[in-house]
Coordinates of all heavy atoms in Angstrom, one line a residue:
M1 N 13.5 -3.0 7.3 CA 12.7 -2.7 6.0 C 13.5 -1.7 5.2 O 13.8 -0.6 5.7 CB 11.3 -2.1 6.4 CG 10.6 -1.7 5.1 SD 9.0 -1.1 5.5 CE 8.1 -2.6 5.8
K2 N 13.7 -2.0 4.0 CA 14.4 -1.0 3.1 C 13.4 -0.1 2.5 O 12.3 -0.5 2.1 CB 15.1 -1.8 2.0 CG 16.3 -2.6 2.5 CD 17.0 -3.3 1.4 CE 18.1 -4.2 2.0 NZ 18.8 -4.9 1.0
R3 N 13.7 1.2 2.4 CA 12.9 2.2 1.8 C 13.5 2.7 0.6 O 14.7 2.9 0.5 CB 12.5 3.3 2.8 CG 11.7 2.8 4.0 CD 11.2 3.9 4.8 NE 10.4 4.7 3.9 CZ 10.0 6.0 4.3 NH1 10.3 6.4 5.5 NH2 9.2 6.6 3.5
D4 N 12.7 3.1 -0.4 CA 13.3 3.7 -1.7 C 13.3 5.2 -1.4 O 12.4 5.8 -0.7 CB 12.3 3.5 -2.8 CG 12.3 2.1 -3.2 OD1 13.4 1.4 -3.1 OD2 11.3 1.6 -3.8
R5 N 14.3 5.9 -1.9 CA 14.3 7.3 -2.0 C 13.5 7.8 -3.2 O 13.5 7.1 -4.2 CB 15.7 7.9 -2.1 CG 16.6 7.5 -0.9 CD 17.9 8.3 -1.0 NE 18.8 7.8 0.0 CZ 18.8 8.3 1.3 NH1 18.0 9.3 1.6 NH2 19.7 7.8 2.1
G6 N 12.8 8.8 -3.0 CA 11.9 9.3 -4.2 C 10.5 9.3 -3.7 O 10.2 9.3 -2.5
S7 N 9.6 9.4 -4.7 CA 8.2 9.5 -4.4 C 7.5 8.2 -4.4 O 7.6 7.4 -5.3 CB 7.7 10.5 -5.5 OG 6.3 10.7 -5.3
A8 N 6.7 8.0 -3.4 CA 5.8 6.8 -3.3 C 4.4 7.3 -2.9 O 4.3 8.3 -2.1 CB 6.3 5.8 -2.3
A9 N 3.4 6.7 -3.3 CA 2.1 7.1 -2.9 C 1.2 5.8 -2.9 O 1.4 4.9 -3.6 CB 1.5 8.1 -4.0
T10 N 0.1 5.9 -2.0 CA -0.9 4.9 -2.0 C -2.2 5.6 -2.3 O -2.4 6.7 -2.1 CB -1.0 4.2 -0.6 OG1 -1.3 5.2 0.3 CG2 0.3 3.5 -0.3
S11 N -3.1 4.8 -2.9 CA -4.4 5.3 -3.2 C -5.4 4.2 -2.9 O -5.2 3.1 -3.1 CB -4.5 5.7 -4.7 OG -5.8 6.0 -5.1
I12 N -6.6 4.6 -2.4 CA -7.6 3.7 -2.1 C -8.9 4.4 -2.2 O -9.1 5.6 -1.8 CB -7.5 3.0 -0.7 CG1 -8.4 1.9 -0.5 CG2 -7.6 4.0 0.4 CD1 -8.1 1.0 0.6
T13 N -10.0 3.7 -2.7 CA -11.3 4.3 -2.8 C -12.1 3.7 -1.6 O -12.1 2.5 -1.4 CB -12.0 3.8 -4.1 OG1 -11.2 4.3 -5.2 CG2 -13.4 4.4 -4.2
V14 N -12.7 4.6 -0.9 CA -13.5 4.2 0.3 C -14.9 4.6 0.2 O -15.3 5.3 -0.7 CB -12.9 4.7 1.6 CG1 -11.5 4.2 1.9 CG2 -12.9 6.2 1.5
T15 N -15.8 4.1 1.1 CA -17.1 4.4 1.1 C -17.4 5.5 2.0 O -16.5 6.1 2.7 CB -18.0 3.2 1.6 OG1 -17.8 3.0 2.9 CG2 -17.7 1.9 0.8
A16 N -18.7 6.0 2.1 CA -19.0 7.0 3.0 C -18.8 6.7 4.5 O -18.6 7.6 5.3 CB -20.5 7.5 2.8
T17 N -18.7 5.5 4.8 CA -18.5 5.1 6.2 C -17.1 4.4 6.5 O -16.9 4.0 7.6 CB -19.6 4.1 6.6 OG1 -19.6 2.9 5.8 CG2 -21.0 4.7 6.6
I18 N -16.3 4.2 5.5 CA -14.9 3.7 5.7 C -13.9 4.9 5.4 O -14.0 5.5 4.4 CB -14.6 2.5 4.7 CG1 -15.6 1.4 4.9 CG2 -13.2 2.1 4.9 CD1 -15.4 0.2 4.0
T19 N -13.1 5.1 6.4 CA -12.1 6.1 6.4 C -10.7 5.5 6.2 O -10.4 4.5 6.8 CB -12.0 7.0 7.7 OG1 -13.3 7.5 7.9 CG2 -11.1 8.1 7.6
A20 N -9.9 6.0 5.3 CA -8.5 5.5 5.0 C -7.5 6.5 5.4 O -7.7 7.7 5.2 CB -8.4 5.2 3.6
S21 N -6.4 6.1 6.0 CA -5.3 6.9 6.4 C -4.0 6.1 6.2 O -4.1 4.8 6.3 CB -5.4 7.4 7.8 OG -5.4 6.4 8.7
Y22 N -2.9 6.7 5.9 CA -1.6 6.0 5.7 C -0.6 6.5 6.7 O -0.4 7.7 6.8 CB -1.1 6.2 4.3 CG 0.1 5.4 4.1 CD1 0.1 4.0 4.0 CD2 1.4 6.0 3.9 CE1 1.2 3.2 3.8 CE2 2.5 5.2 3.6 CZ 2.4 3.9 3.6 OH 3.6 3.1 3.4
D23 N -0.1 5.6 7.5 CA 1.0 5.9 8.5 C 2.3 5.7 7.9 O 2.8 4.6 7.7 CB 0.8 4.9 9.7 CG 1.8 5.1 10.8 OD1 2.8 5.9 10.6 OD2 1.6 4.5 11.8
V24 N 2.9 6.8 7.4 CA 4.2 6.8 6.7 C 5.3 6.2 7.5 O 6.1 5.4 7.0 CB 4.5 8.2 6.2 CG1 5.9 8.2 5.5 CG2 3.5 8.7 5.3
A25 N 5.4 6.5 8.8 CA 6.5 6.1 9.6 C 6.5 4.5 9.8 O 7.5 3.9 9.9 CB 6.4 6.7 11.0
N26 N 5.3 4.0 9.9 CA 5.2 2.5 10.1 C 4.7 1.8 8.8 O 4.5 0.5 8.9 CB 4.2 2.2 11.2 CG 4.7 2.7 12.5 OD1 5.8 2.3 13.0 ND2 4.0 3.6 13.2
H27 N 4.6 2.5 7.7 CA 4.2 1.8 6.4 C 2.9 1.0 6.6 O 2.8 -0.1 6.2 CB 5.3 0.9 5.9 CG 6.6 1.6 5.9 ND1 7.0 2.6 5.0 CD2 7.7 1.4 6.7 CE1 8.2 2.9 5.3 NE2 8.7 2.3 6.2
R28 N 1.9 1.7 7.2 CA 0.6 1.0 7.4 C -0.5 1.8 6.8 O -0.6 3.0 7.0 CB 0.4 0.9 8.9 CG 1.2 -0.1 9.5 CD 0.7 -0.4 10.9 NE 1.6 -1.4 11.5 CZ 1.9 -1.5 12.7 NH1 1.5 -0.6 13.6 NH2 2.7 -2.4 13.2
L29 N -1.4 1.1 6.0 CA -2.6 1.7 5.5 C -3.7 1.2 6.6 O -3.8 0.1 6.8 CB -2.9 1.1 4.1 CG -4.3 1.5 3.6 CD1 -4.4 3.0 3.3 CD2 -4.5 0.7 2.3
N30 N -4.4 2.2 7.1 CA -5.4 1.9 8.1 C -6.8 2.2 7.5 O -7.0 3.3 7.0 CB -5.2 2.8 9.3 CG -3.9 2.5 10.0 OD1 -3.6 1.3 10.4 ND2 -3.0 3.5 10.0
L31 N -7.7 1.3 7.6 CA -9.1 1.5 7.3 C -9.9 1.4 8.5 O -9.7 0.4 9.3 CB -9.6 0.5 6.2 CG -8.8 0.4 4.9 CD1 -9.4 -0.7 4.0 CD2 -8.9 1.7 4.2
S32 N -10.9 2.3 8.7 CA -11.8 2.2 9.9 C -13.1 2.6 9.5 O -13.3 3.4 8.5 CB -11.2 3.0 11.0 OG -11.1 4.4 10.6
G33 N -14.1 2.2 10.3 CA -15.5 2.6 10.1 C -16.4 1.3 10.1 O -15.9 0.2 10.0
T34 N -17.7 1.6 10.2 CA -18.6 0.5 10.2 C -19.2 0.3 8.8 O -19.8 1.3 8.3 CB -19.8 0.9 11.2 OG1 -19.2 1.1 12.5 CG2 -20.8 -0.3 11.3
D35 N -19.0 -0.8 8.3 CA -19.6 -1.1 7.0 C -19.5 -2.7 6.8 O -19.1 -3.4 7.7 CB -18.7 -0.5 5.8 CG -19.6 -0.2 4.6 OD1 -20.5 -1.0 4.3 OD2 -19.3 0.9 4.0
T36 N -20.0 -3.2 5.7 CA -20.1 -4.6 5.5 C -18.7 -5.2 5.2 O -17.8 -4.5 4.7 CB -21.1 -4.9 4.3 OG1 -20.5 -4.4 3.1 CG2 -22.4 -4.4 4.6
V37 N -18.6 -6.5 5.3 CA -17.4 -7.2 4.9 C -17.1 -7.0 3.4 O -16.0 -6.7 3.0 CB -17.4 -8.7 5.3 CG1 -16.3 -9.4 4.7 CG2 -17.5 -8.9 6.8
A38 N -18.1 -7.1 2.6 CA -18.1 -6.9 1.2 C -17.5 -5.5 0.9 O -16.7 -5.3 -0.1 CB -19.4 -7.1 0.5
A39 N -17.9 -4.5 1.6 CA -17.4 -3.1 1.4 C -15.9 -3.0 1.7 O -15.2 -2.3 0.9 CB -18.2 -2.1 2.2
Y40 N -15.5 -3.6 2.7 CA -14.0 -3.6 3.1 C -13.3 -4.4 2.0 O -12.2 -4.0 1.6 CB -13.8 -4.2 4.5 CG -13.9 -3.1 5.5 CD1 -15.1 -2.9 6.2 CD2 -12.8 -2.4 5.9 CE1 -15.1 -1.9 7.2 CE2 -12.8 -1.4 6.8 CZ -14.0 -1.2 7.5 OH -14.1 -0.2 8.5
Q41 N -13.8 -5.5 1.6 CA -13.1 -6.3 0.6 C -13.0 -5.5 -0.7 O -11.9 -5.5 -1.4 CB -13.9 -7.6 0.3 CG -13.8 -8.6 1.4 CD -14.7 -9.8 1.2 OE1 -15.8 -9.7 0.6 NE2 -14.3 -10.9 1.8
S42 N -14.0 -4.8 -1.1 CA -14.0 -4.0 -2.3 C -13.0 -2.8 -2.1 O -12.2 -2.6 -3.0 CB -15.3 -3.4 -2.5 OG -15.3 -2.5 -3.7
A43 N -12.9 -2.2 -1.0 CA -11.9 -1.1 -0.8 C -10.5 -1.7 -0.8 O -9.6 -1.1 -1.4 CB -12.2 -0.5 0.6
L44 N -10.2 -2.8 -0.2 CA -8.9 -3.4 -0.2 C -8.5 -3.8 -1.6 O -7.3 -3.7 -2.0 CB -8.8 -4.6 0.8 CG -8.8 -4.2 2.2 CD1 -9.0 -5.4 3.1 CD2 -7.5 -3.4 2.6
A45 N -9.4 -4.3 -2.4 CA -9.1 -4.8 -3.8 C -8.8 -3.6 -4.7 O -8.1 -3.8 -5.7 CB -10.3 -5.5 -4.4
Q46 N -9.1 -2.4 -4.3 CA -8.9 -1.2 -5.1 C -7.6 -0.5 -4.6 O -7.2 0.5 -5.3 CB -10.0 -0.3 -5.1 CG -11.3 -0.8 -5.7 CD -12.5 0.1 -5.6 OE1 -12.4 1.3 -5.9 NE2 -13.6 -0.5 -5.2
A47 N -7.0 -0.9 -3.5 CA -5.8 -0.3 -3.1 C -4.6 -0.4 -4.1 O -4.4 -1.4 -4.7 CB -5.4 -0.9 -1.7
T48 N -3.9 0.7 -4.3 CA -2.8 0.7 -5.3 C -1.5 1.3 -4.6 O -1.7 2.0 -3.6 CB -3.1 1.5 -6.5 OG1 -3.3 2.9 -6.1 CG2 -4.3 1.0 -7.3
Y49 N -0.4 1.0 -5.1 CA 0.9 1.5 -4.7 C 1.7 2.0 -5.9 O 1.7 1.3 -6.9 CB 1.7 0.4 -4.0 CG 3.1 0.8 -3.7 CD1 3.4 1.6 -2.6 CD2 4.2 0.4 -4.5 CE1 4.7 2.0 -2.3 CE2 5.5 0.7 -4.2 CZ 5.7 1.5 -3.1 OH 7.0 1.9 -2.8
L50 N 2.2 3.2 -5.8 CA 3.0 3.8 -6.9 C 4.3 4.3 -6.3 O 4.4 5.0 -5.4 CB 2.2 4.9 -7.5 CG 3.0 5.8 -8.6 CD1 3.3 4.9 -9.8 CD2 2.2 7.0 -8.9
N51 N 5.4 3.9 -7.0 CA 6.7 4.3 -6.6 C 7.4 4.9 -7.9 O 7.5 4.2 -8.8 CB 7.6 3.1 -6.1 CG 8.9 3.7 -5.6 OD1 9.5 4.6 -6.1 ND2 9.4 3.0 -4.5
T52 N 7.7 6.2 -7.9 CA 8.2 6.9 -9.0 C 9.7 7.0 -9.0 O 10.3 7.7 -9.8 CB 7.6 8.3 -9.2 OG1 7.8 9.1 -8.0 CG2 6.1 8.2 -9.4
N53 N 10.4 6.3 -8.0 CA 11.8 6.3 -7.9 C 12.4 5.7 -9.2 O 11.9 4.7 -9.7 CB 12.3 5.5 -6.7 CG 13.8 5.6 -6.5 OD1 14.5 5.5 -7.4 ND2 14.1 5.9 -5.2
Q54 N 13.4 6.3 -9.8 CA 14.0 5.8 -11.1 C 14.8 4.5 -10.8 O 15.1 3.8 -11.8 CB 14.9 6.9 -11.7 CG 14.1 8.1 -12.3 CD 13.1 7.6 -13.4 OE1 13.5 7.0 -14.3 NE2 11.9 7.9 -13.2
A55 N 15.2 4.3 -9.6 CA 15.9 3.0 -9.3 C 15.3 2.5 -8.0 O 16.0 2.5 -6.9 CB 17.4 3.3 -9.1
P56 N 14.1 1.9 -8.1 CA 13.5 1.4 -6.9 C 14.2 0.2 -6.3 O 14.9 -0.6 -6.9 CB 12.1 1.0 -7.3 CG 12.2 0.7 -8.8 CD 13.3 1.6 -9.3
N57 N 14.1 0.1 -5.0 CA 14.6 -1.0 -4.2 C 13.9 -2.3 -4.7 O 12.7 -2.3 -4.6 CB 14.4 -0.8 -2.8 CG 15.0 -1.9 -1.9 OD1 15.0 -3.1 -2.3 ND2 15.3 -1.7 -0.7
S58 N 14.6 -3.3 -5.2 CA 13.9 -4.4 -5.8 C 13.7 -5.6 -4.8 O 13.3 -6.7 -5.2 CB 14.7 -4.9 -7.1 OG 16.0 -5.3 -6.7
S59 N 14.0 -5.4 -3.5 CA 13.9 -6.5 -2.6 C 12.4 -6.8 -2.5 O 11.5 -6.0 -2.6 CB 14.5 -6.2 -1.3 OG 13.8 -5.0 -0.7
V60 N 12.0 -8.0 -2.2 CA 10.6 -8.5 -2.0 C 10.1 -7.9 -0.8 O 10.7 -7.8 0.3 CB 10.6 -10.0 -1.9 CG1 9.2 -10.5 -1.6 CG2 11.0 -10.6 -3.3
R61 N 8.9 -7.3 -0.9 CA 8.2 -6.8 0.3 C 7.1 -7.8 0.8 O 6.6 -8.5 0.0 CB 7.5 -5.5 -0.1 CG 8.4 -4.3 -0.3 CD 8.2 -3.8 -1.6 NE 8.8 -2.4 -1.8 CZ 9.9 -2.2 -2.5 NH1 10.5 -3.2 -3.1 NH2 10.3 -1.0 -2.6
T62 N 6.9 -7.7 2.1 CA 5.8 -8.6 2.6 C 4.7 -7.7 3.1 O 4.9 -6.7 3.8 CB 6.4 -9.4 3.8 OG1 7.5 -10.2 3.4 CG2 5.3 -10.3 4.5
L63 N 3.5 -8.0 2.6 CA 2.3 -7.3 3.0 C 1.6 -8.2 4.0 O 1.5 -9.4 3.8 CB 1.4 -7.1 1.8 CG 2.0 -6.4 0.6 CD1 1.0 -6.4 -0.6 CD2 2.4 -5.0 0.9
A64 N 1.1 -7.5 5.0 CA 0.3 -8.3 6.1 C -1.0 -7.6 6.3 O -1.1 -6.3 6.4 CB 1.1 -8.3 7.4
L65 N -2.1 -8.3 6.4 CA -3.4 -7.8 6.6 C -4.0 -8.4 7.9 O -4.0 -9.6 8.1 CB -4.3 -8.2 5.4 CG -5.8 -7.8 5.6 CD1 -6.0 -6.3 5.7 CD2 -6.6 -8.5 4.6
T66 N -4.3 -7.5 8.8 CA -5.0 -7.9 10.0 C -6.3 -7.1 10.2 O -6.4 -6.1 9.6 CB -4.1 -7.7 11.3 OG1 -3.8 -6.3 11.4 CG2 -2.8 -8.5 11.3
V67 N -7.2 -7.7 10.9 CA -8.5 -7.1 11.1 C -8.7 -7.0 12.6 O -8.5 -8.0 13.4 CB -9.6 -7.9 10.5 CG1 -11.0 -7.4 10.8 CG2 -9.4 -8.0 9.0
T68 N -9.1 -5.8 13.1 CA -9.4 -5.6 14.5 C -10.9 -5.3 14.6 O -11.4 -4.4 13.9 CB -8.6 -4.5 15.1 OG1 -7.2 -4.8 15.0 CG2 -9.0 -4.4 16.6
D69 N -11.7 -6.1 15.4 CA -13.1 -5.8 15.4 C -13.4 -4.8 16.5 O -12.6 -4.3 17.2 CB -13.9 -7.2 15.6 CG -13.6 -7.8 17.0 OD1 -13.1 -7.2 17.9 OD2 -13.9 -9.0 17.2
S70 N -14.7 -4.5 16.6 CA -15.2 -3.5 17.6 C -14.9 -3.8 19.0 O -14.9 -2.9 19.9 CB -16.7 -3.1 17.3 OG -17.4 -4.3 17.6
A71 N -14.6 -5.1 19.3 CA -14.3 -5.5 20.7 C -12.8 -5.4 21.0 O -12.4 -5.7 22.1 CB -14.9 -6.9 21.0
G72 N -12.0 -5.1 19.9 CA -10.6 -5.0 20.0 C -9.9 -6.2 19.8 O -8.6 -6.3 19.9
A73 N -10.5 -7.3 19.4 CA -9.8 -8.6 19.0 C -9.2 -8.4 17.6 O -9.8 -8.0 16.7 CB -10.8 -9.7 19.0
T74 N -7.9 -8.9 17.5 CA -7.2 -8.7 16.3 C -7.0 -10.1 15.6 O -6.6 -11.0 16.3 CB -5.8 -8.1 16.4 OG1 -6.1 -6.8 17.0 CG2 -5.1 -7.9 15.1
S75 N -7.2 -10.2 14.3 CA -7.0 -11.5 13.6 C -5.5 -11.8 13.5 O -4.7 -11.0 13.7 CB -7.7 -11.4 12.3 OG -6.9 -10.5 11.4
T76 N -5.3 -13.1 13.1 CA -4.0 -13.5 12.7 C -3.7 -12.9 11.3 O -4.6 -12.7 10.5 CB -4.0 -15.1 12.5 OG1 -4.4 -15.7 13.7 CG2 -2.6 -15.5 12.1
A77 N -2.5 -12.5 11.1 CA -2.1 -11.8 9.9 C -2.2 -12.7 8.7 O -1.7 -13.8 8.7 CB -0.7 -11.2 10.0
L78 N -2.7 -12.2 7.6 CA -2.7 -12.8 6.3 C -1.6 -12.1 5.5 O -1.6 -10.9 5.5 CB -4.1 -12.6 5.5 CG -4.0 -13.0 4.1 CD1 -4.0 -14.5 3.9 CD2 -5.3 -12.4 3.4
T79 N -0.6 -12.9 5.1 CA 0.5 -12.3 4.4 C 0.6 -12.7 2.9 O 0.2 -13.7 2.5 CB 1.9 -12.7 5.1 OG1 2.0 -14.1 5.1 CG2 1.9 -12.2 6.6
R80 N 1.2 -11.7 2.2 CA 1.5 -11.9 0.7 C 2.8 -11.3 0.5 O 3.2 -10.3 1.2 CB 0.4 -11.3 -0.1 CG -1.0 -12.0 0.0 CD -1.0 -13.3 -0.6 NE -2.3 -13.9 -0.6 CZ -2.8 -14.9 0.3 NH1 -2.0 -15.1 1.4 NH2 -4.0 -15.4 0.2
T81 N 3.5 -11.7 -0.6 CA 4.7 -11.0 -1.0 C 4.4 -10.2 -2.3 O 3.6 -10.5 -3.1 CB 5.8 -12.0 -1.3 OG1 5.4 -12.9 -2.3 CG2 6.3 -12.8 0.0
L82 N 5.2 -9.1 -2.4 CA 5.1 -8.2 -3.5 C 6.5 -7.9 -4.0 O 7.4 -7.7 -3.3 CB 4.5 -6.9 -3.0 CG 4.5 -5.7 -4.0 CD1 3.5 -6.0 -5.1 CD2 4.1 -4.4 -3.2
S83 N 6.7 -8.0 -5.3 CA 7.9 -7.7 -6.0 C 7.8 -6.4 -6.7 O 6.8 -6.2 -7.3 CB 8.2 -8.9 -7.0 OG 8.4 -10.0 -6.3
V84 N 8.8 -5.6 -6.6 CA 8.8 -4.3 -7.3 C 10.0 -4.3 -8.2 O 11.1 -4.7 -7.8 CB 9.0 -3.1 -6.3 CG1 9.2 -1.8 -7.0 CG2 7.8 -3.1 -5.3
G85 N 9.8 -4.0 -9.5 CA 10.9 -4.1 -10.4 C 11.0 -2.7 -11.1 O 10.1 -1.9 -11.3
A86 N 12.2 -2.5 -11.6 CA 12.5 -1.2 -12.3 C 11.9 -1.4 -13.7 O 11.8 -2.4 -14.3 CB 14.0 -1.0 -12.4
R87 N 11.5 -0.2 -14.3 CA 11.0 -0.2 -15.7 C 11.9 0.7 -16.5 O 12.2 1.8 -16.0 CB 9.6 0.2 -15.7 CG 8.9 0.2 -17.0 CD 7.5 0.4 -16.9 NE 7.2 1.8 -16.6 CZ 5.9 2.2 -16.4 NH1 4.9 1.4 -16.5 NH2 5.8 3.5 -16.1
N88 N 12.3 0.3 -17.7 CA 13.1 1.1 -18.5 C 12.2 2.2 -19.2 O 11.4 1.9 -20.1 CB 13.7 0.2 -19.6 CG 14.7 1.0 -20.4 OD1 15.1 2.1 -20.1 ND2 15.3 0.4 -21.5
D89 N 12.4 3.4 -18.8 CA 11.5 4.5 -19.3 C 12.1 4.9 -20.7 O 13.3 4.8 -21.0 CB 11.6 5.7 -18.4 CG 11.0 5.4 -17.0 OD1 10.1 4.6 -16.9 OD2 11.5 6.1 -16.1
A90 N 11.2 5.4 -21.5 CA 11.6 5.9 -22.9 C 12.5 7.2 -22.7 O 12.3 7.9 -21.8 CB 10.4 6.3 -23.6
P91 N 13.5 7.3 -23.5 CA 14.4 8.4 -23.4 C 13.7 9.7 -23.7 O 12.7 9.8 -24.5 CB 15.5 8.2 -24.4 CG 15.0 7.1 -25.3 CD 13.9 6.4 -24.6
V92 N 14.1 10.8 -23.0 CA 13.5 12.1 -23.3 C 14.6 13.1 -23.7 O 15.6 13.2 -23.0 CB 12.8 12.6 -22.0 CG1 12.3 14.0 -22.2 CG2 11.7 11.7 -21.6
A93 N 14.4 13.8 -24.8 CA 15.4 14.8 -25.2 C 15.2 16.0 -24.4 O 14.1 16.5 -24.2 CB 15.3 15.1 -26.7
D94 N 16.3 16.6 -23.9 CA 16.3 17.8 -23.1 C 17.1 18.9 -23.8 O 18.3 18.9 -23.8 CB 16.9 17.5 -21.7 CG 16.7 18.7 -20.8 OD1 15.9 19.5 -21.1 OD2 17.4 18.6 -19.7
F95 N 16.4 19.8 -24.4 CA 17.1 20.8 -25.2 C 17.1 22.1 -24.4 O 16.3 22.5 -23.7 CB 16.3 21.1 -26.5 CG 16.5 20.0 -27.5 CD1 15.4 19.0 -27.6 CD2 17.6 19.8 -28.2 CE1 15.5 17.9 -28.4 CE2 17.7 18.7 -29.1 CZ 16.6 17.8 -29.2

């Protein structure tokens, strides 16, 4: 997995019973807690990623979502691809 140098952050809004944490070493967003499927869907729909690197790695990333239930059974991964592109920032005068 290629990583960008620079600043990257994730953000997610959770409920009173869903806790979010990000494992930087393994690039994993973990949600845990007892709540409805709809609450988890809402939390995942609000997850964001921000990379402030001026020259981000433009290779395609693969996102994988798995669910582990209270008995420890893990689902098959649902995967999606994500493209990250550079954006031409407006010039800033530095006096």
